Amino acid sequence: MFQTLYSYFWWERLWLPANLTWADLEDRDGRVYAKASDLYITLPLAFLFLVVRHLFETFVATPLAGLLNVKEKVRLKATPNAVLERFYAATSKHPKQADVEMLSKKSGCTVRQVERWFRRRRNQDRPSLLKKFREASWRFTFYLIAFIAGMAVIVDKPWFYDLREVWKGYPIQSVLPSQYWYYMIELSFYWSLLFSIASDVKRKDFKEQIIHHVATIILISFSWFANYVRAGTLIMALHDSSDYLLESAKMFNYAGWRNTCNNIFIVFAAVFIITRLVILPFWIMHCTMVYPLDLYPAFFGYYFFNFMMVVLQSLHIFWAYLIIRMAQKFITGKVVEDERSDREETDNSEEEEEVAKNGPLSNGHPVLNNNHRKTD
C-alpha cells in the first residue's frame, strides 16, 4: 500500500510536463539537477538554526538591547488568588460581566478588583520588551544576510533581467551550488520559524503567520521538486527585500527611537507595496502563469504552484491593509505601532483613584511617603 501511494505521489504527470520523465533529470555530464532527497537536509538545518538563534539572542541581541537602552516596562502583578487563577487558566482570560460578578462572590473581591486582577494577569503573560527586541534582531539579521546572498545568487543571471529566460530549456535546467544552498538555507529557516511559532511573540495575525509559513514551505519545496528553481530564487529574494526593513523598524521602536523607526517604516511600506503588490503579481506571477504555456500544456504542477502563489498574494494584500492603516496613523501624527500586536492593558483609572485616596501604589498597595515637608 505504501509503495502504491509512493508511486502515485511521484507520478511524473503530476510534477513534470508531458513527454518528460524523472530519467530526464538524472545527473549526467557534470550537470546536477534538483532532487526531492536534497531537502532532507533542511530538517536538521532547521534545528541548527534554533540553536544558532538561541546563541545569537543570548550573546548578541541581549547586549545590543542594553546598548540601545531597551528597558522593560514595570508591570503591576496580580495578587495571588486561587479562585481567579483557576478561572483564568481553565475557562477564559477575558471573563464576561456575569462571570466577573460570580467570581466576585466566590473570591471575596469587589467587581472592580476582579476586573483589575484579570487585566494585570493578562499583562503578566504578555511577552517582555526584551523578548520582542531579541526576536526582531534575529529576524533582521537573517533577512538582511538572506537578501544580500539572494541578490548575489541571481543578479548575474540572464533571467534576472529577462523573465522569459526563467523557462528557457525547462525543465532540463541544472542547479548551481549557489542556488542549492540558497534554497536549503531559506527552507531551513522557515522550518525553524514554524517550529518556534508557539513560543514566539503571538500577534493578532497568528493564524495568518502559520498559513504563511506553511504556504512558503510548500511553495519552496514544490518549486524544488518540479525544478522551478529559477522562479523560486527570484520570489525568495523579492520577499527578503522588505522583511529586514520591518524588523529593523521594530528594533528601533522597542529602543524608543521613534523618529528612526518612523523613517524606516516609511521606506519599508514603500518597498513592501512595490515588491509585493506590483512586482510580484504583475511581473513574477505573470511570468509563472503566462510564459510556461508558450512551451508546454498546463499540468498539475503548473496549477498547484500558481495556486500557492495566489495564497501568498492574498496574505500580502491582508498585510498591506495593516501597513496602510499604520501609515495613516503616522501621517496624522499618531505613534506608529505594529497593528498585529496586542496592546498593553492599563488600569489607570482605578490606580488614580487609589492614589487620590491612599497615595502612590506599588503592586496595588500604598507606599509610605516619607517626603512630607516639615512644618514650623
Side-chain angles (χ1 to χ4, degrees):
M1 179 180 175
F2 177 80
Q3 186 61 38
T4 303
L5 292 175
Y6 181 87
S7 301
Y8 277 120
F9 183 80
W10 291 112
W11 184 39
E12 289 151 339
R13 293 290 68 81
L14 292 179
W15 303 92
L16 300 173
N19 302 322
L20 286 168
T21 67
W22 293 118
D24 296 315
L25 296 178
E26 291 181 357
D27 299 345
R28 63 174 64 89
D29 301 326
R31 295 170 65 90
V32 178
Y33 298 94
K35 294 177 283 294
S37 59
D38 295 333
L39 300 188
Y40 290 145
I41 195 176
T42 61
L43 292 178
L45 280 179
F47 287 104
L48 179 60
F49 261 120
L50 294 177
V51 174
V52 173
R53 171 181 172 174
H54 175 73
L55 296 174
F56 176 89
E57 291 184 351
T58 302
F59 297 107
V60 178
T62 301
L64 180 61
L67 291 174
L68 292 177
N69 202 27
V70 175
K71 294 181 178 179
E72 295 288 0
K73 182 176 180 180
V74 177
R75 294 173 176 172
L76 299 177
K77 293 184 179 180
T79 305
N81 188 303
V83 173
L84 301 182
E85 186 66 39
R86 261 196 314 273
F87 187 92
Y88 180 88
T91 307
S92 174
K93 298 179 180 180
H94 297 269
K96 297 178 181 178
Q97 189 58 38
D99 295 325
V100 171
E101 293 174 358
M102 178 269 292
L103 290 169
S104 173
K105 295 176 182 177
K106 284 188 175 181
S107 64
C109 302
T110 66
V111 168
R112 292 181 65 183
Q113 286 174 331
V114 172
E115 292 171 342
R116 182 186 303 161
W117 187 95
F118 274 91
R119 278 193 293 271
R120 293 180 180 176
R121 185 65 182 82
R122 286 192 295 267
N123 283 336
Q124 283 179 228
D125 282 351
R126 284 188 168 80
S128 67
L129 198 63
L130 178 59
K131 179 177 174 63
K132 293 179 180 179
F133 181 88
R134 287 164 50 153
E135 286 187 14
S137 300
W138 165 247
R139 288 193 294 265
F140 162 76
T141 302
F142 176 83
Y143 288 136
L144 179 60
I145 294 174
F147 174 64
I148 295 172
M151 293 304 297
V153 168
I154 64 176
V155 74
D156 61 339
K157 306 299 186 294
W159 53 87
F160 181 71
Y161 305 95
D162 181 4
L163 292 179
R164 288 189 179 274
E165 290 286 330
V166 167
W167 305 107
K168 185 177 180 179
Y170 178 84
I172 313 299
Q173 297 173 338
S174 57
V175 176
L176 300 174
S178 58
Q179 294 172 318
Y180 169 85
W181 283 111
Y182 186 38
Y183 252 80
M184 298 306 111
I185 290 173
E186 284 275 354
L187 183 54
S188 301
F189 178 74
Y190 280 102
W191 273 120
S192 73
L193 288 184
L194 188 63
F195 294 156
S196 64
I197 196 168
S199 60
D200 286 346
V201 175
K202 288 184 174 62
R203 304 182 187 278
K204 293 178 182 177
D205 63 345
F206 178 73
K207 293 179 181 178
E208 289 81 5
Q209 285 284 352
I210 294 178
I211 294 171
H212 173 268
H213 296 340
V214 172
T216 301
I217 289 170
I218 292 174
L219 191 57
I220 293 175
S221 301
F222 181 85
S223 65
W224 185 261
F225 296 161
N227 209 18
Y228 276 41
V229 174
R230 293 181 181 180
T233 53
L234 291 173
I235 294 167
M236 290 188 295
L238 189 71
H239 280 73
D240 291 336
S241 64
S242 61
D243 288 339
Y244 71 90
L245 292 169
L246 175 61
E247 300 304 331
S248 63
K250 290 180 183 178
M251 290 169 62
F252 285 112
N253 180 47
Y254 300 146
W257 296 29
R258 300 298 183 188
N259 290 335
T260 304
C261 167
N262 292 339
N263 291 333
I264 294 176
F265 176 78
I266 292 174
V267 177
F268 158 74
V271 173
F272 184 95
I273 290 172
I274 292 171
T275 56
R276 309 288 182 95
L277 300 188
V278 179
I279 295 177
L280 185 65
F282 296 108
W283 271 271
I284 304 299
M285 292 180 68
H286 182 267
C287 169
T288 62
M289 289 182 177
V290 177
Y291 295 163
L293 299 180
D294 295 336
L295 303 174
Y296 54 81
F299 62 106
F300 172 80
Y302 165 86
Y303 290 117
F304 184 79
F305 182 86
N306 286 294
F307 169 75
M308 296 307 298
M309 289 293 294
V310 170
V311 172
L312 277 184
Q313 187 58 36
S314 301
L315 291 170
H316 296 155
I317 293 171
F318 168 74
W319 282 317
Y321 164 72
L322 298 182
I323 290 168
I324 291 171
R325 284 182 57 182
M326 294 165 70
Q328 287 176 337
K329 290 184 178 182
F330 172 78
I331 292 171
T332 55
K334 295 180 180 179
V335 175
V336 174
E337 58 183 88
D338 194 341
E339 281 287 339
R340 302 174 302 158
S341 298
D342 291 330
R343 292 173 177 81
E344 184 90 0
E345 298 178 76
T346 62
D347 45 15
N348 290 341
S349 58
E350 287 89 345
E351 286 165 16
E352 288 168 2
E353 201 170 288
E354 293 283 352
V355 168
K357 293 179 181 177
N358 305 317
L361 295 175
S362 174
N363 286 339
H365 301 289
V367 176
L368 294 177
N369 185 353
N370 295 321
N371 296 321
H372 298 298
R373 293 180 62 187
K374 294 181 179 180
T375 54
D376 295 334

